[in-house]
Amino acid sequence: SKILRTIEKLKLKMTKLLEGLKILIVLDDVWSPEDVELFNFNGKISSISILSTTRTMDPDSRTFKPSYFFANAGLLSKKEAQNLFFYESKILSDGAGPSVNMEFVDRIILDCGYLPLTVKIAGRIVKSCCSVGTSVSLKTLSEMIKNSDQVSYILDKSFSFITDDKAAFTLKLCFSVLAIVFYRDDKRRPWVPFESIKLAWMALFSDNEIYPLNESFAKYRIKKYEDVIQLMCIMGLIDEVYVQEPGMTGTGQYLQIHHDLMWEYGRQFASRFLTANNSFEKCFGHNITCTKFHNDYRDTILYKNTVKWNAMTALQYSALFSDDTKNLESYALEWLPYHLIRGELFNEAVDALMNDSSLILRTVRFGIYLGTQITISMIKAFEDGISSNPVTKESDYESPMLSLASKMRDNFKEYINSVQLEKTGRIEIGHALISVGVLLRKFSRWTASLDFFTDAMDVFQSIGYGDDSPDVIQTRKHIDSCTLPLIMIFPQDSPTKLRLKNVDAILQGSTNKEYVSLELSSHPGYAIVRLSDKCDEYLQLPYSYSYCYIGLGLKESALMAQYSNQLIQIEPDGYHICCGAGVVHEGMHVSMRSNISYNNEKNEPRLDLRNKLHESSFFRIQPDGSICPSIAPHLCLGISPYPGIFLVSKYSKNQAVFKFFLENHKRDGSMNVNSSTVEQASKRLCVEHELKLELSSHPGMGVVPIFHNLIRRGAQRGCHLGLGPSKDALLASFDRKHGIEILGTYKGMFLSSPYLGGEKKSKAGAVVCLTNAGPDWCNREFTFNKNGTISPRTALHLVIGFQVPGIYK
């Protein structure tokens, strides 16, 4: 043809021009062998060398001559990326800039995907920040790198093979859907089955606004979704593997975005445009249709597209006939709940999560441990989706967390009881139980969390693991993390005084309004945590408020707070730390409390009472991190020396079994009589004798007062209780009219638990204490169980217990 003749003439002309010269020709990003052949001058110039880079050409192709030499450069190694970053940032060469934190550096180069140009840009950003004296956090720097125009330009070049603007936009859109729809919080770039990706793209192109873009692929002979995948693999955007799927005869194709920075690019692209009313919306800044919306709007656009694309994918699946879903079992088990959650179809998401069949099939298909991890990730996504939704209130939807955890626990027990599991299977169940316990602990479901940890301990001990086993040691640490000693008011010289770790950041937060973790330096690895996932209501005339006890827990569950005007304000806004019931007194518990609502003007409390309620919320944070009440600087916040007493499930291994009840029931042979007979016998025993509150469930321990001095508030007196040495255990008797009365120093004080939510009901996690308050203020009615436990009369499903497991019988 005319074109070929022209090429040959030009090659002959080049041969004459270059004759006698030594030439190196560099060809960058070669896509086909023909591109290299253009520079093959028929061997007439032996002094020409060609260096080419390529992502698509196969070294084994017969196109290449034996004289060709190939070197697979690949991405930078971790060490190479570190060296390049240090060279560009100069943070090591002259001693200037921030001290080197290798975790910080490794996170940056990981975000850069080990790409030389992006690592180089990241280093230069750090250098520029240091040169102007800017203190930059890892999170801030990471955002600067991701939003860098240079980085975006480099990543955008990955699509340059597609020269048609419309087709390139369509390909970027498909890639963006892959990034937005298929990710998990615990794994940004999971391996995704091709059929699941195909479903999302089918949903995308079923949209009237998007469908016309599909035609742009025609000139590139892209007719099927498989062709799009193949093109993305050739361009280096995604990786592919073929694996044997459970229950399948052949292998399945799985795909993954190539590196983290490309995943970020996909999210960025999704924040640049909107579609509505069968067209692309105009840019707010330019008033034209474009993909360069101002940064101020990008978060909103990303949120809208995320909701839309996830909902479309989930609804596309729901609209399929049963025969069409045979190849989508993996999608239904692994991705459907995520898409319902992110698509804000929360009711449908709860139904999908609670589906018994899906829960069992997930563990069968992916294994007990991995299947459990996937379910846990879905629960986290649901909780985060509800809490972060700008419209939905948490009260609008009941969290499936506890119900789902209970289902998984029952399934694990059934596996153990009905199947002769090998040792590896039991180990897997033990690890799965711990994973669920960690999830519950993260959301302050401490009582339920401890039950899962003790179940895991039972599993490991049934295998024959000794105390020196790593699994037993780790499980014991998890159990200890749930002990939850209360945070209380102590003298300044108390050895239990707590000190904040991030004191400088907290004090600076009074000006920049940032929330900081209440992690402790006095108790490394621990922090101030809330003792319940939900706040309780104090509803008494003339005022009301919401509150929650706080205690000592792992730093992963730390409260986030800011310090301003002597208030330690807790995230979310509206809560702050205060001394319980407005009483600043040694031995008083500390809680987080909402603002006080006064029910009506006629019943407003006295001015002095109002002042006490407000003053109890003011604290001074000292330079050493200690916290003292502003009106009582001789006092400070500290940790209870004993674990507190709570109401727990009657099936919990953390229940308190009282020694004298159990021993006398066994001796009298009354263990098999009905509950009313047991209660009468127990009452008679308590009336006839002064009985020590010792425990058989926790040998050598008993119910003790945490402080010997009573807390006074008007005519009311009170005292917190704990699990302590049996020699200090309290004496008690049963008063038929009033309940379980404590004798000796505390005569006139009764065992009690608070009424919660304004109703005369009790719930798991409620604190049990001593008080002389009447039945209008708290529950004093308890009943005795034949196994030696004590339950609130109005809540027989609960018993008195601790966040410390005992000897379960």
Side-chain angles (χ1 to χ4, degrees):
S1 69
K2 184 176 180 180
I3 294 176
L4 290 177
R5 289 196 300 270
T6 302
I7 290 174
E8 289 303 317
K9 286 181 179 180
L10 290 173
K11 288 172 67 175
L12 182 61
K13 188 174 182 179
M14 286 293 294
T15 300
K16 293 178 180 179
L17 289 173
L18 300 176
E19 190 172 0
L21 300 176
K22 292 183 177 181
I23 301 295
L24 173 65
I25 299 176
V26 179
L27 306 177
D28 185 36
D29 204 13
V30 175
W31 281 76
S32 66
E34 290 78 11
D35 295 335
V36 179
E37 288 301 310
L38 290 173
F39 296 88
N40 180 5
F41 300 116
N42 299 321
K44 296 177 180 179
I45 305 176
S46 60
S47 58
I48 287 184
S49 297
I50 298 177
L51 174 65
S52 63
T53 63
T54 181
R55 288 179 282 178
T56 62
M57 294 164 61
D58 184 3
D60 298 326
S61 171
R62 288 178 296 175
T63 305
F64 299 112
K65 300 177 180 179
S67 59
Y68 287 0
F69 175 77
F70 289 90
N72 185 6
L75 298 171
L76 294 175
S77 68
K78 183 176 180 180
K79 185 64 177 177
E80 290 169 338
Q82 288 173 345
N83 291 338
L84 179 59
F85 177 81
F86 289 143
Y87 176 80
E88 294 294 341
S89 64
K90 309 297 183 187
I91 61 175
L92 286 182
S93 59
D94 56 9
S99 59
V100 180
N101 182 331
M102 290 308 298
E103 184 179 352
F104 174 93
V105 173
D106 290 344
R107 172 65 185 276
I108 291 173
I109 62 177
L110 179 63
D111 279 347
C112 291
Y114 296 98
L115 297 174
L117 283 175
T118 53
V119 173
K120 186 174 182 178
I121 291 168
R124 291 185 175 183
I125 290 173
V126 171
K127 180 183 177 183
S128 65
C129 290
C130 297
S131 63
V132 296
T134 303
S135 176
V136 58
S137 67
L138 172 60
K139 182 178 179 181
T140 302
L141 180 61
S142 181
E143 290 300 319
M144 291 171 67
I145 294 169
K146 294 168 189 173
N147 296 322
S148 166
D149 291 337
Q150 291 174 291
V151 173
S152 295
Y153 176 78
I154 292 169
L155 297 176
D156 203 61
K157 279 292 185 181
S158 299
F159 296 86
S160 59
F161 173 71
I162 306 296
T163 55
D164 180 80
D165 289 343
K166 192 173 183 181
F169 177 88
T170 307
L171 189 65
K172 292 174 187 177
L173 180 60
C174 290
F175 180 79
S176 185
V177 169
L178 182 57
I180 292 300
V181 175
F182 296 102
Y183 79 93
R184 299 200 303 262
D185 290 337
D186 60 334
K187 193 171 182 62
R188 288 178 172 181
R189 302 178 295 110
W191 289 99
V192 184
F194 165 70
E195 293 296 334
S196 298
I197 298 173
K198 180 180 176 181
L199 177 73
W201 286 346
M202 287 172 58
L204 176 71
F205 287 108
S206 67
D207 192 344
N208 292 332
E209 297 101 343
I210 303 296
Y211 179 76
L213 294 174
N214 201 12
E215 300 172 359
S216 64
F217 278 154
K219 66 183 297 183
Y220 291 91
R221 298 179 181 178
I222 299 175
K223 299 179 180 180
K224 301 180 295 182
Y225 295 115
E226 289 85 348
D227 298 334
V228 179
I229 289 293
Q230 184 179 8
L231 180 60
M232 287 186 177
C233 289
I234 291 173
M235 294 170 67
L237 303 176
I238 59 177
D239 304 320
E240 67 173 342
V241 294
Y242 288 84
V243 298
Q244 179 68 49
E245 295 186 281
M248 304 289 287
T249 55
T251 57
Q253 184 184 22
Y254 281 72
L255 302 127
Q256 179 192 52
I257 293 177
H258 189 54
H259 56 78
D260 282 359
L261 214 56
M262 281 308 304
W263 180 80
E264 290 288 353
Y265 175 84
R267 289 173 61 82
Q268 281 189 20
F269 189 81
S271 69
R272 296 178 183 174
F273 67 91
L274 279 171
T275 58
N277 300 322
N278 298 322
S279 65
F280 287 88
E281 287 193 8
K282 293 182 177 180
C283 169
F284 304 140
H286 307 108
N287 199 33
I288 59 174
T289 300
C290 72
T291 59
K292 295 183 179 179
F293 280 92
H294 193 276
N295 287 341
D296 291 347
Y297 303 107
R298 285 190 176 180
D299 287 345
T300 301
I301 296 169
L302 177 61
Y303 165 74
K304 288 184 176 181
N305 283 334
T306 299
V307 173
K308 181 177 181 179
W309 295 348
N310 277 278
M312 287 170 61
T313 304
L315 294 174
Q316 179 77 17
Y317 174 81
S318 301
L320 295 174
F321 293 107
S322 58
D323 289 343
D324 297 326
T325 62
K326 289 181 179 179
N327 294 330
L328 289 168
E329 181 182 278
S330 181
Y331 170 80
L333 297 176
E334 193 173 3
W335 290 108
L336 178 59
Y338 283 115
H339 297 160
L340 292 169
I341 292 165
R342 295 189 191 123
E344 298 186 354
L345 303 169
F346 295 116
N347 286 324
E348 293 83 350
V350 171
D351 292 340
L353 286 170
M354 295 298 293
N355 185 282
D356 291 333
S357 177
S358 295
L359 198 60
I360 294 171
L361 284 174
R362 197 172 291 126
T363 57
V364 171
R365 187 179 182 88
F366 302 106
I368 293 172
Y369 180 73
L370 181 56
T372 300
Q373 291 296 106
I374 293 172
T375 302
I376 286 172
S377 181
M378 291 173 180
I379 297 172
K380 288 181 181 176
F382 183 90
E383 297 292 330
D384 293 342
I386 293 294
S387 62
S388 63
N389 190 285
V391 178
T392 303
K393 297 179 181 178
E394 290 187 50
S395 57
D396 293 342
Y397 299 93
E398 183 176 351
S399 171
M401 185 186 300
L402 283 179
S403 298
L404 201 51
S406 179
K407 282 176 178 282
M408 288 191 284
R409 189 183 186 192
D410 291 342
N411 288 343
F412 296 152
K413 289 181 178 179
E414 190 172 335
Y415 294 151
I416 292 175
N417 294 332
S418 63
V419 179
Q420 286 296 99
L421 283 177
E422 295 184 0
K423 183 177 179 180
T424 54
R426 290 178 178 271
I427 293 172
E428 201 172 353
I429 288 178
H431 291 160
L433 285 164
I434 289 176
S435 296
V436 180
V438 170
L439 168 74
L440 295 168
R441 184 177 65 192
K442 175 180 171 60
F443 288 94
S444 301
R445 307 288 180 96
W446 301 97
T447 303
S449 174
L450 184 54
D451 288 337
F452 275 84
F453 295 145
T454 51
D455 281 351
M457 181 65 81
D458 285 349
V459 170
F460 292 136
Q461 289 177 342
S462 72
I463 295 171
Y465 281 177
D467 290 343
D468 58 346
S469 162
D471 282 328
V472 170
I473 292 171
Q474 192 63 34
T475 305
R476 202 176 301 282
K477 289 180 179 179
H478 284 301
I479 290 173
D480 291 344
S481 73
C482 295
T483 302
L484 299 179
L486 295 173
I487 292 180
M488 307 175 75
I489 302 296
F490 288 83
Q492 274 285 355
D493 60 354
S494 171
T496 65
K497 178 195 292 189
L498 61 80
R499 294 181 179 86
L500 298 172
K501 178 179 179 180
N502 305 313
V503 59
D504 291 337
I506 291 173
L507 293 176
Q508 291 172 5
S510 61
T511 56
N512 57 27
K513 304 298 183 184
E514 288 188 359
Y515 286 96
V516 180
S517 168
L518 294 184
E519 189 179 348
L520 301 172
S521 63
S522 55
H523 300 72
Y526 287 82
I528 298 176
V529 303
R530 58 190 298 165
L531 298 194
S532 176
D533 61 308
K534 296 186 182 298
C535 290
D536 296 315
E537 298 290 329
Y538 179 87
L539 301 174
Q540 295 285 348
L541 290 176
Y543 55 86
S544 62
Y545 54 80
S546 299
Y547 72 97
C548 178
Y549 284 89
I550 60 176
L552 179 74
L554 288 183
K555 65 180 182 180
E556 288 78 10
S557 302
L559 289 172
M560 302 295 291
Q562 63 172 227
Y563 183 58
S564 179
N565 298 322
Q566 299 186 65
L567 284 176
I568 303 175
Q569 297 173 321
I570 305 298
E571 191 179 25
D573 294 333
Y575 285 82
H576 53 268
I577 289 179
C578 70
C579 298
V583 178
V584 182
H585 190 284
E586 181 181 341
M588 192 61 187
H589 67 270
V590 180
S591 61
M592 51 181 281
R593 188 188 73 194
S594 68
N595 292 325
I596 297 172
S597 298
Y598 296 99
N599 300 323
N600 59 66
E601 295 182 0
K602 293 181 180 180
N603 290 317
E604 278 197 12
R606 302 188 314 272
L607 182 61
D608 60 335
L609 179 55
R610 295 187 65 168
N611 288 339
K612 284 183 178 181
L613 289 169
H614 289 290
E615 288 173 349
S616 68
S617 300
F618 297 142
F619 294 91
R620 292 177 184 171
I621 298 179
Q622 307 297 340
D624 66 349
S626 60
I627 306 172
C628 64
S630 297
I631 62 171
H634 63 288
L635 301 175
C636 69
L637 268 59
I639 307 300
S640 166
Y642 302 127
I645 301 184
F646 304 89
L647 294 179
V648 302
S649 167
K650 69 177 183 180
Y651 301 111
S652 173
K653 298 175 184 179
N654 316 314
Q655 60 185 226
V657 179
F658 288 89
K659 190 175 182 180
F660 63 88
F661 290 138
L662 195 61
E663 289 179 349
N664 279 277
H665 288 328
K666 285 182 178 179
R667 185 172 60 247
D668 296 343
S670 57
M671 293 298 290
N672 296 318
V673 298
N674 61 53
S675 59
S676 61
T677 306
V678 169
E679 182 174 358
Q680 292 300 321
S682 301
K683 289 178 181 179
R684 185 174 64 253
L685 183 67
C686 291
V687 173
E688 294 172 353
H689 305 278
E690 294 181 357
L691 299 172
K692 206 171 186 180
L693 298 182
E694 291 183 85
L695 301 168
S696 61
S697 55
H698 299 71
M701 310 296 282
V703 175
V704 303
I706 294 178
F707 279 86
H708 293 290
N709 295 328
L710 293 175
I711 302 167
R712 299 179 183 274
R713 183 186 181 213
Q716 292 184 4
R717 294 174 295 156
C719 176
H720 281 288
L721 300 174
L723 175 66
S726 60
K727 65 182 180 61
D728 299 326
L730 293 167
L731 296 173
S733 69
F734 184 83
D735 184 297
R736 288 184 173 83
K737 184 177 181 182
H738 299 106
I740 301 175
E741 182 180 8
I742 305 302
L743 304 177
T745 306
Y746 303 97
K747 186 166 178 60
M749 308 286 288
F750 293 84
L751 212 61
S752 63
S753 61
Y755 291 137
L756 304 174
E759 300 179 6
K760 293 189 176 182
K761 293 182 179 179
S762 300
K763 73 168 188 177
V767 173
V768 178
C769 61
L770 289 184
T771 182
N772 67 341
D776 290 336
W777 291 82
C778 59
N779 169 62
R780 296 198 327 198
E781 295 187 4
F782 290 90
T783 189
F784 305 93
N785 303 311
K786 63 182 181 181
N787 63 349
T789 59
I790 300 177
S791 297
R793 184 179 292 278
T794 56
L796 298 179
H797 63 291
L798 302 175
V799 296
I800 292 174
F802 310 93
Q803 286 296 102
V804 179
I807 301 174
Y808 189 65
K809 297 183 179 180

